[in-house]
Amino acid sequence: MAQFVWMGRMNWNVPTLLPPGSVPDLKTWPTTVDAAITGGKKDGEKLLHDLCAELAHWQRILYAQREQALLVILQGMDTSGKDGTIRHVFRLVNPNGVHVAAFSRPTALELSHDYLWRIHQRAPARGEIVIFDRSHYEDIVTVRVNDLRPASVWKRRYKHVNAFEEMLADEGITIVKFFLHIDRAEQKKRLEARLRDPEKHWKFDPSDLVARERWDAYMAAYPEVLSRCNFGHAPWHIIPANKKWVRNILVASILVQTMRKLGMSFPKAHMDLARVRID
Amino acid sequence: MAQFVWMGRMNWNVPTLLPPGSVPDLKTWPTTVDAAITGGKKDGEKLLHDLCAELAHWQRILYAQREQALLVILQGMDTSGKDGTIRHVFRLVNPNGVHVAAFSRPTALELSHDYLWRIHQRAPARGEIVIFDRSHYEDIVTVRVNDLRPASVWKRRYKHVNAFEEMLADEGITIVKFFLHIDRAEQKKRLEARLRDPEKHWKFDPSDLVARERWDAYMAAYPEVLSRCNFGHAPWHIIPANKKWVRNILVASILVQTMRKLGMSFPKAHMDLARVRID
């Protein structure tokens, strides 16, 4: 196995894992980290590169083995950096074994089905990494905040979602969930950048302003899904995400540590390869 | 609403519904019914026609409303008549709103996913009737009898399957499950017919003989899924299925009674149609 030396360089102590049973207070949960890395963002970039390289290493083994799978779920307010996290953290992996499923507003066909129908279709096969850019958690949080269905409907979804994730875990899928946590002031800056920069105009959606108006309602709804759907087999990490480079390093390091724990190695040859002659 | 008069003619008292909490003894559960219908099979055919007509009536309303859905799950030993039941009971419905999903041996792609992945994809949309010809119950019973996965794997599937069906029910899908119950002597006759009749040769599969050898193991495994996955929102009916025409009438009448209870009617016009003028 290749040697990965980033760990010693990462002398941060940032608790991102939400302890099972606890309810996070998002108003006090940090959105920034005073990262104790010598050289700041510049050294951070080198560190991220090494993390991405190790992630790519483990992804190759996962793909070769085709026994386990990794499901990464990203949630967060608009502009919290879901897209940027995917672009940066997974930049060195082989796209052949890594797929992104973005769940935006459901189509008419999707709405005609149970809400987990479109989600389950995109769950990873053995050997794959799948990243959910938004997920079934929108079917609780967004439905609740915007009053799209009666409370009796979204309230029973906690139970469904927990059972669904437990089934996936039982079937060999490792699940890691990230809530990318920014504050309202940071969102203002990022939305203004979308208005200012012609290359970001396509990302501006007036409905983001409606969601921004309901910021407090989201901050009240999220702690409930974070605490009620948080188990050892599918834990939530709350990532301070105001600084993009810090966010990337945190997510990448959690994924690398997750992959290390899977105890994977390249499959053994199933014949005596030394005796194989190639004509 | 059309008048349906079959009910008075059906003076059978055949208990097919498995009471929740009870474990059926398949060795004593009847495989035949001494049907008390005047005229026997001939009158039975008229009765079935009327049942099928009423089922088609309700299916039109279900389709027009697009609010609810019906999932019919058929299980049974080889030759128990899953295919024939579908052909006879659903012969009058509009195929546009009725779909059959047959789950035979999983493909390599399906095996690379969790076992509910292929099942969930075929779950009905609102307005649809979907019939599962075999189902996720094979992933417990067949896997168990043939020792395809360790007991620890299939044992936790009871929990998954119950949670999955509960989620579907919560989302507006009515579920009815039928175990088509034949005895071993009847299977012998039907398998021999497949050997004898050139038009049935395509249906003969030597693996059916292997399953037949394990008859007792199946009869020991089925009562466990029938009793452990049996709830008011997704009940099991055990259908005496040695006589095909009796089986059809029982299944059709249960489906008609299920549809009646949904309290459906054609959607009201959402404008004053009397004032619409067609040029």
PDB file of all heavy atoms in Angstrom, chain A residues 111-141:
ATOM      1  N   LEU A 111     -42.850  12.471  -8.738  1.00  0.00           N
ATOM      2  CA  LEU A 111     -43.892  12.812  -7.768  1.00  0.00           C
ATOM      3  C   LEU A 111     -45.034  11.805  -7.764  1.00  0.00           C
ATOM      4  O   LEU A 111     -45.758  11.675  -6.779  1.00  0.00           O
ATOM      5  CB  LEU A 111     -44.454  14.213  -8.052  1.00  0.00           C
ATOM      6  CG  LEU A 111     -43.608  15.374  -7.543  1.00  0.00           C
ATOM      7  CD1 LEU A 111     -44.201  16.693  -8.029  1.00  0.00           C
ATOM      8  CD2 LEU A 111     -43.516  15.370  -6.025  1.00  0.00           C
ATOM      9  N   SER A 112     -45.205  11.092  -8.882  1.00  0.00           N
ATOM     10  CA  SER A 112     -46.285  10.103  -8.929  1.00  0.00           C
ATOM     11  C   SER A 112     -45.916   8.851  -8.128  1.00  0.00           C
ATOM     12  O   SER A 112     -46.770   8.014  -7.850  1.00  0.00           O
ATOM     13  CB  SER A 112     -46.610   9.733 -10.381  1.00  0.00           C
ATOM     14  OG  SER A 112     -45.619   8.867 -10.908  1.00  0.00           O
ATOM     15  N   HIS A 113     -44.650   8.725  -7.759  1.00  0.00           N
ATOM     16  CA  HIS A 113     -44.187   7.569  -6.987  1.00  0.00           C
ATOM     17  C   HIS A 113     -43.955   7.949  -5.528  1.00  0.00           C
ATOM     18  O   HIS A 113     -43.909   9.133  -5.186  1.00  0.00           O
ATOM     19  CB  HIS A 113     -42.873   7.042  -7.575  1.00  0.00           C
ATOM     20  CG  HIS A 113     -43.078   6.203  -8.800  1.00  0.00           C
ATOM     21  ND1 HIS A 113     -43.322   4.859  -8.755  1.00  0.00           N
ATOM     22  CD2 HIS A 113     -43.090   6.534 -10.111  1.00  0.00           C
ATOM     23  CE1 HIS A 113     -43.463   4.388  -9.974  1.00  0.00           C
ATOM     24  NE2 HIS A 113     -43.330   5.382 -10.830  1.00  0.00           N
ATOM     25  N   ASP A 114     -43.767   6.938  -4.676  1.00  0.00           N
ATOM     26  CA  ASP A 114     -43.307   7.211  -3.321  1.00  0.00           C
ATOM     27  C   ASP A 114     -41.979   7.962  -3.400  1.00  0.00           C
ATOM     28  O   ASP A 114     -41.207   7.773  -4.326  1.00  0.00           O
ATOM     29  CB  ASP A 114     -43.165   5.893  -2.550  1.00  0.00           C
ATOM     30  CG  ASP A 114     -42.017   5.033  -3.052  1.00  0.00           C
ATOM     31  OD1 ASP A 114     -42.224   4.243  -3.995  1.00  0.00           O
ATOM     32  OD2 ASP A 114     -40.908   5.149  -2.513  1.00  0.00           O
ATOM     33  N   TYR A 115     -41.721   8.822  -2.404  1.00  0.00           N
ATOM     34  CA  TYR A 115     -40.566   9.740  -2.488  1.00  0.00           C
ATOM     35  C   TYR A 115     -39.222   9.010  -2.475  1.00  0.00           C
ATOM     36  O   TYR A 115     -38.216   9.573  -2.907  1.00  0.00           O
ATOM     37  CB  TYR A 115     -40.622  10.769  -1.354  1.00  0.00           C
ATOM     38  CG  TYR A 115     -40.419  10.180   0.014  1.00  0.00           C
ATOM     39  CD1 TYR A 115     -39.188  10.252   0.660  1.00  0.00           C
ATOM     40  CD2 TYR A 115     -41.447   9.498   0.662  1.00  0.00           C
ATOM     41  CE1 TYR A 115     -38.998   9.688   1.902  1.00  0.00           C
ATOM     42  CE2 TYR A 115     -41.263   8.924   1.900  1.00  0.00           C
ATOM     43  CZ  TYR A 115     -40.037   9.025   2.508  1.00  0.00           C
ATOM     44  OH  TYR A 115     -39.852   8.441   3.743  1.00  0.00           O
ATOM     45  N   LEU A 116     -39.172   7.774  -1.978  1.00  0.00           N
ATOM     46  CA  LEU A 116     -37.889   7.059  -1.958  1.00  0.00           C
ATOM     47  C   LEU A 116     -37.608   6.329  -3.283  1.00  0.00           C
ATOM     48  O   LEU A 116     -36.516   5.797  -3.472  1.00  0.00           O
ATOM     49  CB  LEU A 116     -37.853   6.054  -0.797  1.00  0.00           C
ATOM     50  CG  LEU A 116     -37.678   6.667   0.596  1.00  0.00           C
ATOM     51  CD1 LEU A 116     -37.766   5.588   1.677  1.00  0.00           C
ATOM     52  CD2 LEU A 116     -36.340   7.415   0.718  1.00  0.00           C
ATOM     53  N   TRP A 117     -38.588   6.337  -4.176  1.00  0.00           N
ATOM     54  CA  TRP A 117     -38.457   5.617  -5.443  1.00  0.00           C
ATOM     55  C   TRP A 117     -37.260   6.136  -6.252  1.00  0.00           C
ATOM     56  O   TRP A 117     -36.403   5.384  -6.687  1.00  0.00           O
ATOM     57  CB  TRP A 117     -39.764   5.743  -6.230  1.00  0.00           C
ATOM     58  CG  TRP A 117     -39.821   5.068  -7.550  1.00  0.00           C
ATOM     59  CD1 TRP A 117     -39.986   3.726  -7.773  1.00  0.00           C
ATOM     60  CD2 TRP A 117     -39.748   5.683  -8.839  1.00  0.00           C
ATOM     61  NE1 TRP A 117     -40.026   3.491  -9.133  1.00  0.00           N
ATOM     62  CE2 TRP A 117     -39.878   4.664  -9.805  1.00  0.00           C
ATOM     63  CE3 TRP A 117     -39.586   7.005  -9.279  1.00  0.00           C
ATOM     64  CZ2 TRP A 117     -39.851   4.915 -11.178  1.00  0.00           C
ATOM     65  CZ3 TRP A 117     -39.565   7.255 -10.639  1.00  0.00           C
ATOM     66  CH2 TRP A 117     -39.692   6.223 -11.573  1.00  0.00           C
ATOM     67  N   ARG A 118     -37.207   7.464  -6.420  1.00  0.00           N
ATOM     68  CA  ARG A 118     -36.102   8.008  -7.231  1.00  0.00           C
ATOM     69  C   ARG A 118     -34.764   7.893  -6.503  1.00  0.00           C
ATOM     70  O   ARG A 118     -33.711   7.795  -7.121  1.00  0.00           O
ATOM     71  CB  ARG A 118     -36.379   9.461  -7.622  1.00  0.00           C
ATOM     72  CG  ARG A 118     -36.407  10.440  -6.454  1.00  0.00           C
ATOM     73  CD  ARG A 118     -36.467  11.870  -6.986  1.00  0.00           C
ATOM     74  NE  ARG A 118     -36.417  12.868  -5.935  1.00  0.00           N
ATOM     75  CZ  ARG A 118     -36.106  14.146  -6.149  1.00  0.00           C
ATOM     76  NH1 ARG A 118     -35.831  14.567  -7.370  1.00  0.00           N
ATOM     77  NH2 ARG A 118     -36.085  15.005  -5.154  1.00  0.00           N
ATOM     78  N   ILE A 119     -34.821   7.926  -5.178  1.00  0.00           N
ATOM     79  CA  ILE A 119     -33.604   7.852  -4.368  1.00  0.00           C
ATOM     80  C   ILE A 119     -32.988   6.452  -4.467  1.00  0.00           C
ATOM     81  O   ILE A 119     -31.792   6.299  -4.737  1.00  0.00           O
ATOM     82  CB  ILE A 119     -33.939   8.168  -2.891  1.00  0.00           C
ATOM     83  CG1 ILE A 119     -34.676   9.505  -2.750  1.00  0.00           C
ATOM     84  CG2 ILE A 119     -32.682   8.083  -2.026  1.00  0.00           C
ATOM     85  CD1 ILE A 119     -33.844  10.725  -2.951  1.00  0.00           C
ATOM     86  N   HIS A 120     -33.826   5.442  -4.257  1.00  0.00           N
ATOM     87  CA  HIS A 120     -33.338   4.059  -4.203  1.00  0.00           C
ATOM     88  C   HIS A 120     -32.685   3.660  -5.532  1.00  0.00           C
ATOM     89  O   HIS A 120     -31.690   2.926  -5.554  1.00  0.00           O
ATOM     90  CB  HIS A 120     -34.495   3.129  -3.854  1.00  0.00           C
ATOM     91  CG  HIS A 120     -34.074   1.810  -3.300  1.00  0.00           C
ATOM     92  ND1 HIS A 120     -34.923   0.967  -2.647  1.00  0.00           N
ATOM     93  CD2 HIS A 120     -32.871   1.176  -3.299  1.00  0.00           C
ATOM     94  CE1 HIS A 120     -34.272  -0.125  -2.274  1.00  0.00           C
ATOM     95  NE2 HIS A 120     -33.030  -0.022  -2.665  1.00  0.00           N
ATOM     96  N   GLN A 121     -33.240   4.145  -6.637  1.00  0.00           N
ATOM     97  CA  GLN A 121     -32.674   3.815  -7.952  1.00  0.00           C
ATOM     98  C   GLN A 121     -31.213   4.207  -8.066  1.00  0.00           C
ATOM     99  O   GLN A 121     -30.459   3.602  -8.816  1.00  0.00           O
ATOM    100  CB  GLN A 121     -33.452   4.543  -9.048  1.00  0.00           C
ATOM    101  CG  GLN A 121     -34.801   3.938  -9.316  1.00  0.00           C
ATOM    102  CD  GLN A 121     -35.533   4.657 -10.437  1.00  0.00           C
ATOM    103  OE1 GLN A 121     -34.938   4.981 -11.456  1.00  0.00           O
ATOM    104  NE2 GLN A 121     -36.803   4.910 -10.235  1.00  0.00           N
ATOM    105  N   ARG A 122     -30.814   5.267  -7.358  1.00  0.00           N
ATOM    106  CA  ARG A 122     -29.457   5.786  -7.488  1.00  0.00           C
ATOM    107  C   ARG A 122     -28.522   5.281  -6.403  1.00  0.00           C
ATOM    108  O   ARG A 122     -27.374   5.708  -6.319  1.00  0.00           O
ATOM    109  CB  ARG A 122     -29.486   7.325  -7.481  1.00  0.00           C
ATOM    110  CG  ARG A 122     -30.485   7.934  -8.471  1.00  0.00           C
ATOM    111  CD  ARG A 122     -30.165   7.578  -9.916  1.00  0.00           C
ATOM    112  NE  ARG A 122     -28.870   8.085 -10.337  1.00  0.00           N
ATOM    113  CZ  ARG A 122     -28.655   9.308 -10.825  1.00  0.00           C
ATOM    114  NH1 ARG A 122     -29.660  10.147 -10.943  1.00  0.00           N
ATOM    115  NH2 ARG A 122     -27.467   9.685 -11.215  1.00  0.00           N
ATOM    116  N   ALA A 123     -29.013   4.387  -5.541  1.00  0.00           N
ATOM    117  CA  ALA A 123     -28.156   3.831  -4.488  1.00  0.00           C
ATOM    118  C   ALA A 123     -27.012   3.049  -5.134  1.00  0.00           C
ATOM    119  O   ALA A 123     -27.177   2.471  -6.201  1.00  0.00           O
ATOM    120  CB  ALA A 123     -28.975   2.935  -3.561  1.00  0.00           C
ATOM    121  N   PRO A 124     -25.844   3.041  -4.493  1.00  0.00           N
ATOM    122  CA  PRO A 124     -24.673   2.436  -5.141  1.00  0.00           C
ATOM    123  C   PRO A 124     -24.769   0.923  -5.273  1.00  0.00           C
ATOM    124  O   PRO A 124     -25.342   0.243  -4.421  1.00  0.00           O
ATOM    125  CB  PRO A 124     -23.517   2.811  -4.201  1.00  0.00           C
ATOM    126  CG  PRO A 124     -24.145   3.107  -2.899  1.00  0.00           C
ATOM    127  CD  PRO A 124     -25.515   3.644  -3.196  1.00  0.00           C
ATOM    128  N   ALA A 125     -24.201   0.419  -6.357  1.00  0.00           N
ATOM    129  CA  ALA A 125     -23.934  -1.008  -6.504  1.00  0.00           C
ATOM    130  C   ALA A 125     -22.635  -1.313  -5.768  1.00  0.00           C
ATOM    131  O   ALA A 125     -21.834  -0.416  -5.497  1.00  0.00           O
ATOM    132  CB  ALA A 125     -23.808  -1.361  -7.975  1.00  0.00           C
ATOM    133  N   ARG A 126     -22.427  -2.579  -5.455  1.00  0.00           N
ATOM    134  CA  ARG A 126     -21.166  -2.973  -4.826  1.00  0.00           C
ATOM    135  C   ARG A 126     -19.991  -2.577  -5.726  1.00  0.00           C
ATOM    136  O   ARG A 126     -20.037  -2.791  -6.933  1.00  0.00           O
ATOM    137  CB  ARG A 126     -21.164  -4.477  -4.559  1.00  0.00           C
ATOM    138  CG  ARG A 126     -22.022  -4.855  -3.357  1.00  0.00           C
ATOM    139  CD  ARG A 126     -22.201  -6.357  -3.173  1.00  0.00           C
ATOM    140  NE  ARG A 126     -23.563  -6.791  -3.474  1.00  0.00           N
ATOM    141  CZ  ARG A 126     -24.605  -6.643  -2.659  1.00  0.00           C
ATOM    142  NH1 ARG A 126     -24.463  -6.082  -1.485  1.00  0.00           N
ATOM    143  NH2 ARG A 126     -25.807  -7.042  -3.013  1.00  0.00           N
ATOM    144  N   GLY A 127     -19.001  -1.949  -5.119  1.00  0.00           N
ATOM    145  CA  GLY A 127     -17.847  -1.468  -5.866  1.00  0.00           C
ATOM    146  C   GLY A 127     -17.902   0.016  -6.196  1.00  0.00           C
ATOM    147  O   GLY A 127     -16.900   0.594  -6.594  1.00  0.00           O
ATOM    148  N   GLU A 128     -19.063   0.617  -5.984  1.00  0.00           N
ATOM    149  CA  GLU A 128     -19.239   2.018  -6.371  1.00  0.00           C
ATOM    150  C   GLU A 128     -19.183   2.975  -5.184  1.00  0.00           C
ATOM    151  O   GLU A 128     -19.511   2.612  -4.055  1.00  0.00           O
ATOM    152  CB  GLU A 128     -20.605   2.218  -7.038  1.00  0.00           C
ATOM    153  CG  GLU A 128     -20.730   1.627  -8.420  1.00  0.00           C
ATOM    154  CD  GLU A 128     -22.095   1.893  -9.041  1.00  0.00           C
ATOM    155  OE1 GLU A 128     -23.022   2.341  -8.327  1.00  0.00           O
ATOM    156  OE2 GLU A 128     -22.242   1.633 -10.239  1.00  0.00           O
ATOM    157  N   ILE A 129     -18.786   4.215  -5.507  1.00  0.00           N
ATOM    158  CA  ILE A 129     -19.049   5.344  -4.615  1.00  0.00           C
ATOM    159  C   ILE A 129     -20.150   6.163  -5.269  1.00  0.00           C
ATOM    160  O   ILE A 129     -20.054   6.495  -6.453  1.00  0.00           O
ATOM    161  CB  ILE A 129     -17.796   6.230  -4.422  1.00  0.00           C
ATOM    162  CG1 ILE A 129     -16.692   5.461  -3.708  1.00  0.00           C
ATOM    163  CG2 ILE A 129     -18.151   7.500  -3.651  1.00  0.00           C
ATOM    164  CD1 ILE A 129     -15.393   6.265  -3.547  1.00  0.00           C
ATOM    165  N   VAL A 130     -21.213   6.445  -4.543  1.00  0.00           N
ATOM    166  CA  VAL A 130     -22.249   7.342  -5.045  1.00  0.00           C
ATOM    167  C   VAL A 130     -22.374   8.512  -4.086  1.00  0.00           C
ATOM    168  O   VAL A 130     -22.354   8.341  -2.859  1.00  0.00           O
ATOM    169  CB  VAL A 130     -23.600   6.625  -5.218  1.00  0.00           C
ATOM    170  CG1 VAL A 130     -24.730   7.636  -5.444  1.00  0.00           C
ATOM    171  CG2 VAL A 130     -23.544   5.650  -6.390  1.00  0.00           C
ATOM    172  N   ILE A 131     -22.448   9.719  -4.669  1.00  0.00           N
ATOM    173  CA  ILE A 131     -22.602  10.934  -3.877  1.00  0.00           C
ATOM    174  C   ILE A 131     -23.977  11.507  -4.146  1.00  0.00           C
ATOM    175  O   ILE A 131     -24.328  11.779  -5.297  1.00  0.00           O
ATOM    176  CB  ILE A 131     -21.521  11.975  -4.270  1.00  0.00           C
ATOM    177  CG1 ILE A 131     -20.133  11.349  -4.138  1.00  0.00           C
ATOM    178  CG2 ILE A 131     -21.667  13.229  -3.422  1.00  0.00           C
ATOM    179  CD1 ILE A 131     -19.158  11.852  -5.186  1.00  0.00           C
ATOM    180  N   PHE A 132     -24.770  11.641  -3.097  1.00  0.00           N
ATOM    181  CA  PHE A 132     -26.090  12.279  -3.228  1.00  0.00           C
ATOM    182  C   PHE A 132     -25.924  13.779  -2.985  1.00  0.00           C
ATOM    183  O   PHE A 132     -25.569  14.196  -1.879  1.00  0.00           O
ATOM    184  CB  PHE A 132     -27.075  11.714  -2.196  1.00  0.00           C
ATOM    185  CG  PHE A 132     -27.663  10.375  -2.540  1.00  0.00           C
ATOM    186  CD1 PHE A 132     -27.323   9.690  -3.706  1.00  0.00           C
ATOM    187  CD2 PHE A 132     -28.606   9.789  -1.688  1.00  0.00           C
ATOM    188  CE1 PHE A 132     -27.888   8.452  -4.023  1.00  0.00           C
ATOM    189  CE2 PHE A 132     -29.182   8.554  -1.994  1.00  0.00           C
ATOM    190  CZ  PHE A 132     -28.821   7.886  -3.151  1.00  0.00           C
ATOM    191  N   ASP A 133     -26.177  14.592  -3.995  1.00  0.00           N
ATOM    192  CA  ASP A 133     -26.193  16.043  -3.884  1.00  0.00           C
ATOM    193  C   ASP A 133     -27.654  16.423  -3.600  1.00  0.00           C
ATOM    194  O   ASP A 133     -28.469  16.476  -4.502  1.00  0.00           O
ATOM    195  CB  ASP A 133     -25.690  16.632  -5.208  1.00  0.00           C
ATOM    196  CG  ASP A 133     -25.720  18.151  -5.237  1.00  0.00           C
ATOM    197  OD1 ASP A 133     -26.232  18.758  -4.280  1.00  0.00           O
ATOM    198  OD2 ASP A 133     -25.245  18.731  -6.233  1.00  0.00           O
ATOM    199  N   ARG A 134     -27.974  16.633  -2.336  1.00  0.00           N
ATOM    200  CA  ARG A 134     -29.335  16.605  -1.777  1.00  0.00           C
ATOM    201  C   ARG A 134     -29.826  15.156  -1.794  1.00  0.00           C
ATOM    202  O   ARG A 134     -29.217  14.303  -2.441  1.00  0.00           O
ATOM    203  CB  ARG A 134     -30.325  17.512  -2.507  1.00  0.00           C
ATOM    204  CG  ARG A 134     -29.876  18.969  -2.570  1.00  0.00           C
ATOM    205  CD  ARG A 134     -30.962  19.848  -3.150  1.00  0.00           C
ATOM    206  NE  ARG A 134     -30.518  21.196  -3.372  1.00  0.00           N
ATOM    207  CZ  ARG A 134     -30.578  22.169  -2.437  1.00  0.00           C
ATOM    208  NH1 ARG A 134     -31.096  21.912  -1.241  1.00  0.00           N
ATOM    209  NH2 ARG A 134     -30.148  23.373  -2.703  1.00  0.00           N
ATOM    210  N   SER A 135     -30.940  14.908  -1.133  1.00  0.00           N
ATOM    211  CA  SER A 135     -31.328  13.515  -0.913  1.00  0.00           C
ATOM    212  C   SER A 135     -32.760  13.430  -0.397  1.00  0.00           C
ATOM    213  O   SER A 135     -33.509  14.419  -0.452  1.00  0.00           O
ATOM    214  CB  SER A 135     -30.397  12.887   0.127  1.00  0.00           C
ATOM    215  OG  SER A 135     -30.651  13.519   1.384  1.00  0.00           O
ATOM    216  N   HIS A 136     -33.113  12.266   0.125  1.00  0.00           N
ATOM    217  CA  HIS A 136     -34.417  12.058   0.761  1.00  0.00           C
ATOM    218  C   HIS A 136     -34.635  12.977   1.971  1.00  0.00           C
ATOM    219  O   HIS A 136     -35.766  13.103   2.432  1.00  0.00           O
ATOM    220  CB  HIS A 136     -34.578  10.600   1.183  1.00  0.00           C
ATOM    221  CG  HIS A 136     -33.334   9.978   1.752  1.00  0.00           C
ATOM    222  ND1 HIS A 136     -32.258   9.604   0.983  1.00  0.00           N
ATOM    223  CD2 HIS A 136     -32.988   9.679   3.017  1.00  0.00           C
ATOM    224  CE1 HIS A 136     -31.319   9.089   1.748  1.00  0.00           C
ATOM    225  NE2 HIS A 136     -31.728   9.129   2.991  1.00  0.00           N
ATOM    226  N   TYR A 137     -33.558  13.606   2.482  1.00  0.00           N
ATOM    227  CA  TYR A 137     -33.769  14.522   3.596  1.00  0.00           C
ATOM    228  C   TYR A 137     -34.533  15.769   3.176  1.00  0.00           C
ATOM    229  O   TYR A 137     -35.194  16.413   4.008  1.00  0.00           O
ATOM    230  CB  TYR A 137     -32.433  14.853   4.272  1.00  0.00           C
ATOM    231  CG  TYR A 137     -31.932  13.651   5.041  1.00  0.00           C
ATOM    232  CD1 TYR A 137     -30.896  12.866   4.555  1.00  0.00           C
ATOM    233  CD2 TYR A 137     -32.569  13.252   6.217  1.00  0.00           C
ATOM    234  CE1 TYR A 137     -30.485  11.729   5.229  1.00  0.00           C
ATOM    235  CE2 TYR A 137     -32.162  12.115   6.901  1.00  0.00           C
ATOM    236  CZ  TYR A 137     -31.123  11.361   6.402  1.00  0.00           C
ATOM    237  OH  TYR A 137     -30.725  10.229   7.070  1.00  0.00           O
ATOM    238  N   GLU A 138     -34.474  16.117   1.886  1.00  0.00           N
ATOM    239  CA  GLU A 138     -35.307  17.221   1.393  1.00  0.00           C
ATOM    240  C   GLU A 138     -36.794  16.889   1.534  1.00  0.00           C
ATOM    241  O   GLU A 138     -37.616  17.784   1.709  1.00  0.00           O
ATOM    242  CB  GLU A 138     -35.000  17.506  -0.084  1.00  0.00           C
ATOM    243  CG  GLU A 138     -33.570  17.904  -0.377  1.00  0.00           C
ATOM    244  CD  GLU A 138     -33.203  19.292   0.115  1.00  0.00           C
ATOM    245  OE1 GLU A 138     -34.115  20.110   0.366  1.00  0.00           O
ATOM    246  OE2 GLU A 138     -31.994  19.561   0.261  1.00  0.00           O
ATOM    247  N   ASP A 139     -37.115  15.588   1.435  1.00  0.00           N
ATOM    248  CA  ASP A 139     -38.520  15.173   1.516  1.00  0.00           C
ATOM    249  C   ASP A 139     -39.070  15.295   2.925  1.00  0.00           C
ATOM    250  O   ASP A 139     -40.269  15.112   3.152  1.00  0.00           O
ATOM    251  CB  ASP A 139     -38.671  13.730   1.001  1.00  0.00           C
ATOM    252  CG  ASP A 139     -38.305  13.626  -0.462  1.00  0.00           C
ATOM    253  OD1 ASP A 139     -39.004  14.244  -1.272  1.00  0.00           O
ATOM    254  OD2 ASP A 139     -37.296  12.968  -0.797  1.00  0.00           O
ATOM    255  N   ILE A 140     -38.187  15.558   3.862  1.00  0.00           N
ATOM    256  CA  ILE A 140     -38.643  15.897   5.212  1.00  0.00           C
ATOM    257  C   ILE A 140     -38.509  17.410   5.416  1.00  0.00           C
ATOM    258  O   ILE A 140     -39.492  18.107   5.632  1.00  0.00           O
ATOM    259  CB  ILE A 140     -37.838  15.121   6.285  1.00  0.00           C
ATOM    260  CG1 ILE A 140     -37.998  13.605   6.077  1.00  0.00           C
ATOM    261  CG2 ILE A 140     -38.286  15.543   7.680  1.00  0.00           C
ATOM    262  CD1 ILE A 140     -37.201  12.739   7.044  1.00  0.00           C
ATOM    263  N   VAL A 141     -37.275  17.932   5.283  1.00  0.00           N
ATOM    264  CA  VAL A 141     -36.999  19.322   5.651  1.00  0.00           C
ATOM    265  C   VAL A 141     -37.707  20.316   4.735  1.00  0.00           C
ATOM    266  O   VAL A 141     -38.436  21.208   5.203  1.00  0.00           O
ATOM    267  CB  VAL A 141     -35.469  19.572   5.648  1.00  0.00           C
ATOM    268  CG1 VAL A 141     -35.184  21.052   5.851  1.00  0.00           C
ATOM    269  CG2 VAL A 141     -34.797  18.744   6.724  1.00  0.00           C
TER     270      VAL A 141
END
